[in-house]
Amino acid sequence: MQIDMSYGSGGKQTSDLIQEVFLDAFHNKILDRMEDAAVLEVKGKIAYTTDSFVVTPMFFPGGDIGKLAVCGTVNDLSVMGAVPKYLTAGFILEEGVSLETLKRVTASMAKAAKEAKVQIVAGDTKVVEGRGGIYINTSGIGEVIKSGISISNCRAGDLVLLSGNLGEHHAAILSSRMGIENSIHSDCAPLNSMVLKLLEEEIDIHCMRDVTRGGLATVLNEAAEKSGCRIQLTEEALPVSKEVKGFCDILGLDPLYMANEGKLLAVIPEKQAERALNIMKASRYGKNAAVIGRVTEGLSEKQTRGVVMTTALKGTRRIDVLYGEGLPRIC
Ligand code: MG
């Protein structure tokens, strides 16, 4: 069965769709009340974020648009020192999408939400003309348990930790689009349990970001600029799988600029870095975590800011932000 414009009418078919698909997949005490707004119990300071997902193809090795929509918002909350609690989900459905496809996506969202221990408490659906696409917006609320984590808070002497291999989401999407068969899977994953463990163990995280569009290079440049510092990377320390490296070599891609959907960067005082690394490595999505560099100076003169990498051949390479459009519709 396919979704047609009548499912967006607000009438009987809309309510059937809500019952049969969304309530069935997401049901929880708050959503099941079906009020005009969810009423939430939240303690203290909250983090609040939103993101829209338009990835193509909708299903790819390692994930799909639904898993991505949950993990993306969960990760944005987590890296701000928050415990993700509640999500909303807005769906724009193009006419022609099958009910079966939609159910696959909502089941995947429900599974990811369960793993991340978040509840989807409100939602909306619109149907538009088109060719069977699904677009999802998720917003999320989390309870802040550590304040002060900020892109502006890198300090000289800190070490830069990355939670795992670079480029897997980007390479998986690109492989799907190009019809290349390989064993690369997207790294799409919720990172909240790793972050929670770091915070419970009282790691004093100065700066943390999930490394998504624009890749590691773009995130690091933003951190260097906002913090007024220089970040020195070591090329040999960058974790990249053999498969992704091979893929990049063939297509002339640089893992530093490739998107990830289950990796985070954490800037941590040197004396806590080893403990933090071990916590990451012991967590489900962090076994390839590595210390990849160091914040070397906090001087404000322009020439000392930015990101510099010591290459495998002991040369020095300046790492700039991503220019141009990169790969569109990756998330
Ligand atoms: Mg982010």
Side-chain angles (χ1 to χ4, degrees):
M1 210 192 75
Q2 289 188 341
I3 303 291
D4 60 37
M5 296 303 281
S6 68
Y7 284 88
S9 64
K12 170 83 172 87
Q13 270 142 317
T14 307
S15 85
D16 287 351
L17 184 67
I18 290 169
Q19 285 292 342
E20 203 189 315
V21 178
F22 300 110
L23 280 178
D24 186 57
F26 303 149
H27 88 95
N28 57 64
K29 276 187 195 149
I30 302 168
L31 184 66
D32 292 353
R33 282 185 204 126
M34 294 292 288
E35 304 283 4
D36 270 354
V39 177
L40 309 173
E41 299 277 353
V42 188
K43 281 191 267 299
K45 254 192 208 173
I46 65 163
Y48 183 28
T49 189
T50 188
D51 208 344
S52 298
F53 298 85
V54 299
V55 66
T56 182
M58 216 184 291
F59 300 94
F60 46 83
D64 56 67
I65 191 169
K67 183 179 182 188
L68 207 57
V70 170
C71 295
T73 291
V74 161
N75 292 345
D76 277 342
L77 293 170
S78 302
V79 295
M80 288 305 292
V83 176
K85 301 292 274 188
Y86 304 110
L87 302 189
T88 68
F91 292 81
I92 312 279
L93 309 177
E94 284 184 351
E95 211 179 7
V97 67
S98 75
L99 204 59
E100 190 203 335
T101 301
L102 185 57
K103 282 185 172 177
R104 238 178 109 189
V105 168
T106 52
S108 173
M109 289 178 80
K111 189 173 170 212
K114 189 173 178 207
E115 183 185 346
K117 300 192 177 84
V118 294
Q119 290 183 308
I120 297 170
V121 293
D124 177 56
T125 315
K126 295 288 184 304
V127 181
V128 297
E129 292 91 348
R131 289 190 293 177
I134 297 179
Y135 309 104
I136 305 174
N137 173 275
T138 51
S139 293
I141 284 177
E143 291 173 351
V144 176
I145 57 168
K146 176 169 169 63
S147 298
I149 296 174
S150 165
I151 196 82
S152 313
N153 198 26
C154 302
R155 301 178 205 169
D158 288 349
L159 294 188
V160 181
L161 278 68
L162 179 68
S163 67
N165 293 345
L166 289 174
E168 286 163 358
H169 179 70
H170 197 125
I173 295 290
L174 201 50
S175 301
S176 288
R177 283 206 212 152
M178 295 173 79
I180 299 172
E181 283 195 27
N182 54 35
S183 60
I184 299 170
H185 281 61
S186 166
D187 59 340
C188 177
L191 298 173
N192 54 323
S193 66
M194 182 194 298
V195 172
L196 185 61
K197 196 81 193 145
L198 289 167
L199 297 178
E200 281 173 352
E201 296 289 327
E202 296 188 350
I203 301 295
D204 182 22
I205 302 165
H206 287 166
C207 162
M208 185 156 52
R209 272 283 163 106
D210 54 340
V211 186
T212 54
R213 265 187 311 183
L216 181 68
T218 303
V219 176
L220 285 172
N221 269 282
E222 202 185 333
E225 194 195 318
K226 293 267 170 60
S227 300
C229 66
R230 177 181 174 109
I231 295 174
Q232 184 85 42
L233 289 183
T234 308
E235 186 173 27
E236 284 170 315
L238 293 175
V240 183
S241 73
K242 231 172 52 212
E243 292 77 13
V244 170
K245 182 163 188 323
F247 182 82
C248 289
D249 287 348
I250 291 167
L251 292 177
L253 297 168
D254 186 342
L256 280 173
Y257 293 93
M258 290 166 75
N260 312 271
E261 289 291 345
K263 296 291 148 44
L264 63 79
L265 174 89
V267 179
I268 290 170
E270 183 170 11
K271 61 179 189 313
Q272 293 190 334
E274 196 182 327
R275 200 154 60 83
L277 184 66
N278 289 335
I279 294 166
M280 283 186 183
K281 281 178 177 258
S283 72
R284 181 170 179 192
Y285 301 111
K287 60 178 190 301
N288 296 311
V291 175
I292 58 163
R294 173 184 290 277
V295 180
T296 55
E297 292 165 60
L299 301 178
S300 61
E301 289 93 44
K302 198 145 186 152
Q303 66 270 27
T304 68
R305 291 185 186 177
V307 182
V308 170
M309 184 167 78
T310 304
T311 66
L313 301 172
K314 304 294 169 228
T316 298
R317 177 183 152 200
R318 176 131 196 141
I319 306 296
D320 236 319
V321 292
L322 175 67
Y323 285 104
E325 78 173 14
L327 184 65
R329 294 194 59 183
I330 199 154
C331 53

